[in-house]
Amino acid sequence: MKTNDENFVINLAISVGKIMLESGAEIYRVEETIERMISSKIDSKVDVFVLPTGIIVSAKSSTDSITRLERIQSSKIDLEAISRANSFSRIYTQNSLTDEELDVLLMSLTDIPKFSKKTTMFFTGLAGGLFTGLTGGSFLETIITFIASLSVGLILDKLSKFKPNFFIKNIIGGFLIATIGVLSYFLFKSFGINLDYNRIIIGSLMTLVPGVALTNGIRDLISGELIAGGARILEAIFIAIALAFGVGIALQISFSFV
Amino acid sequence: MNFILQVILSFFSIFGFAIIFNIPRRSIFLASINGMIGWIVFFYIQKFSTNFILPPLIGSLIVGLIGEILAIYHKQPATLFIIPGIIPFVPGYGIYYTMFHILNNDLSNALSTGVESIFVAIAIACGVVVATSLTRFIRPYLERLLN
């Protein structure tokens, strides 16, 4: 029966951990899940070491030991995937499943539903636009932020097929946001309407700022994952620097030449 | 009037953030309500206090507590209900003005805004961590109460 085979259990636990890590789960949660899944089926000492860029699992029994390394490439927050991986691991650890039951259960992890691209883009715009409204923006500023976040979301989505690294991608994002903000400021100024371009830029930036990476990084640090937490925070800081860089370039250009 | 506007705008803004993060469809409404409550608390503390740490700390504490309770009730990880709710506290404002001051060669202001945003980020994480540890104490009682 494959459900109690050491190799199978460890590979399964790693693939569940990989899904969680790629969906932006906290490091300690990933470690806990993998460890619980393995030690519920095999009687051996399990060590799990998770970094934002990789998973190392080692299981030692009295006769031999197995070690696996899995490289993690990118992470994009996906709460549906975290939720599914979590319930999978809970059912898996609490029951002893037959092969057929396990295959059915595994189906829930292979095909994770996503909102359609149009829906996601519309709500990206909505989130940014309404944030501007929340922080005291006028109706017009809210609309412009909606358009700015929507178009930046669309453009970054188009660019993602070239696989830009995260630094370049965020510089482009920040640059576009600031360009749209400043252009609309000058456009409406010529009609005699004064807009606060700062508010437009901040609202659109909110859809790109690495808030989750930053908070999860600090949460990992607090729970003792010093290297993983530090790496996450560093990533978040570099995303923030890239965004600021992009916005800064656009602002500098527009105010030196206009 | 302002209050109603804040309620509606924050609800739909967090609804949008939740969809960006591909939240499970059955959790989306509760997560947005949770974030809305957190934002209202954040907004009114910010209005009556000059301290910049207190609003994000209390706000994320509230979001964390409600999120943990919802998580027990729905048997889902608490992250689902917490992550969309804390996004509005993230110091996008601070990041932007840090850059703005650097651009204007105003390094002392850039430093103070930058440090302020770092502490806001730490405060958000601390609020969530405190909420998680608090619910760990009352978890057995809550589970009996809610299930």
Side-chain angles (χ1 to χ4, degrees):
Chain A
M1 211 168 85
K2 67 178 179 180
T3 42
N4 282 326
D5 178 51
E6 275 197 359
N7 270 308
F8 179 78
V9 171
I10 291 174
N11 284 336
L12 182 68
I14 288 182
S15 55
V16 172
K18 187 180 179 185
I19 291 174
M20 293 181 81
L21 198 56
E22 282 177 343
S23 316
E26 304 95 316
I27 303 293
Y28 69 88
R29 192 189 295 278
V30 178
E31 285 188 348
E32 223 174 75
T33 307
I34 295 178
E35 199 172 327
R36 226 183 278 153
M37 278 181 71
I38 295 177
S39 53
S40 74
K41 300 294 179 224
I42 329 175
D43 184 31
S44 54
K45 187 181 179 303
V46 183
D47 281 308
V48 184
F49 184 63
V50 177
L51 290 175
T53 48
I55 300 174
I56 304 169
V57 176
S58 171
K60 296 179 249 344
S61 58
S62 53
T63 49
D64 63 343
S65 75
I66 300 174
T67 303
R68 288 268 187 287
L69 168 69
E70 181 89 29
R71 182 79 166 85
I72 307 295
Q73 291 297 350
S74 65
S75 73
K76 188 171 184 296
I77 293 142
D78 187 338
L79 296 175
E80 174 84 54
I82 294 179
S83 157
R84 281 176 179 236
N86 191 65
S87 52
F88 175 85
S89 82
R90 193 170 52 221
I91 296 171
Y92 182 77
T93 46
Q94 284 172 359
N95 308 292
S96 59
L97 303 161
T98 62
D99 285 3
E100 292 80 48
E101 285 173 334
L102 188 64
D103 283 340
V104 172
L105 198 58
L106 272 172
M107 291 287 285
S108 70
L109 287 181
T110 49
D111 193 24
I112 294 165
K114 285 192 164 51
F115 288 102
S116 72
K117 197 161 277 176
K118 275 180 194 160
T119 323
T120 315
M121 287 307 152
F122 175 76
F123 280 100
T124 308
L126 195 74
L130 293 184
F131 187 82
T132 301
L134 266 184
T135 45
S138 67
F139 183 68
L140 193 59
E141 286 164 359
T142 306
I143 299 287
I144 292 170
T145 315
F146 175 84
I147 295 167
S149 347
L150 182 71
S151 41
V152 169
L154 284 173
I155 292 170
L156 288 184
D157 187 64
K158 281 270 180 294
L159 282 178
S160 68
K161 70 165 179 277
F162 300 111
K163 296 195 170 46
N165 74 27
F166 75 98
F167 200 74
I168 304 295
K169 186 185 143 204
N170 284 299
I171 288 182
I172 295 172
F175 182 81
L176 289 173
I177 286 172
T179 311
I180 296 173
V182 173
L183 280 182
S184 56
Y185 167 74
F186 284 119
L187 179 70
F188 281 96
K189 204 180 174 192
S190 62
F191 293 125
I193 305 168
N194 252 326
L195 290 178
D196 184 358
Y197 60 87
N198 295 329
R199 230 178 245 147
I200 296 169
I201 294 173
I202 292 168
S204 323
L205 274 183
M206 287 309 281
T207 57
L208 295 180
V209 286
V212 181
L214 199 59
T215 11
N216 279 350
I218 297 171
R219 281 175 77 177
D220 280 326
L221 267 190
I222 292 172
S223 56
E225 305 288 345
L226 297 178
I227 295 175
R232 273 269 166 87
I233 292 173
L234 207 59
E235 187 198 1
I237 289 176
F238 267 86
I239 293 176
I241 290 175
L243 286 174
F245 210 78
V247 175
I249 295 170
L251 286 184
Q252 191 74 356
I253 292 173
S254 54
F255 290 111
S256 333
F257 293 102
V258 179
Chain B
M1 187 58 216
N2 192 19
F3 177 77
I4 298 167
L5 197 68
Q6 288 282 328
V7 167
I8 296 170
L9 287 183
S10 58
F11 178 84
F12 283 105
S13 181
I14 289 152
F15 198 92
F17 283 116
I19 288 192
I20 297 176
F21 298 142
N22 194 28
I23 195 170
R25 283 155 183 73
R26 60 190 176 284
S27 318
I28 187 165
F29 183 74
L30 287 174
S32 313
I33 293 278
N34 184 18
M36 184 194 82
I37 297 170
W39 173 265
I40 297 297
V41 172
F42 174 84
F43 183 74
Y44 281 96
I45 294 178
Q46 201 178 40
K47 215 169 182 179
F48 297 116
S49 151
T50 51
N51 191 325
F52 67 91
I53 293 282
L54 208 58
L57 183 69
I58 306 284
S60 62
L61 184 66
I62 300 275
V63 171
L65 280 175
I66 300 176
E68 292 282 348
I69 292 170
L70 287 174
I72 294 171
Y73 184 64
H74 276 250
K75 294 198 175 60
Q76 293 276 356
T79 335
L80 243 60
F81 302 102
I82 296 175
I83 281 185
I86 56 173
I87 289 298
F89 309 149
V90 171
Y93 201 83
I95 295 172
Y96 176 74
Y97 275 103
T98 308
M99 182 277 313
F100 199 79
H101 291 312
I102 291 175
L103 222 56
N104 293 330
N105 271 331
D106 187 357
L107 287 183
S108 64
N109 260 332
L111 191 65
S112 66
T113 331
V115 171
E116 200 171 295
S117 11
I118 290 172
F119 274 94
V120 168
I122 294 176
I124 297 169
C126 285
V128 175
V129 170
V130 170
T132 309
S133 338
L134 278 181
T135 35
R136 200 157 287 174
F137 293 123
I138 53 169
R139 201 180 172 104
Y141 306 103
L142 273 178
E143 274 174 348
R144 218 177 306 144
L145 197 73
L146 294 173
N147 294 321

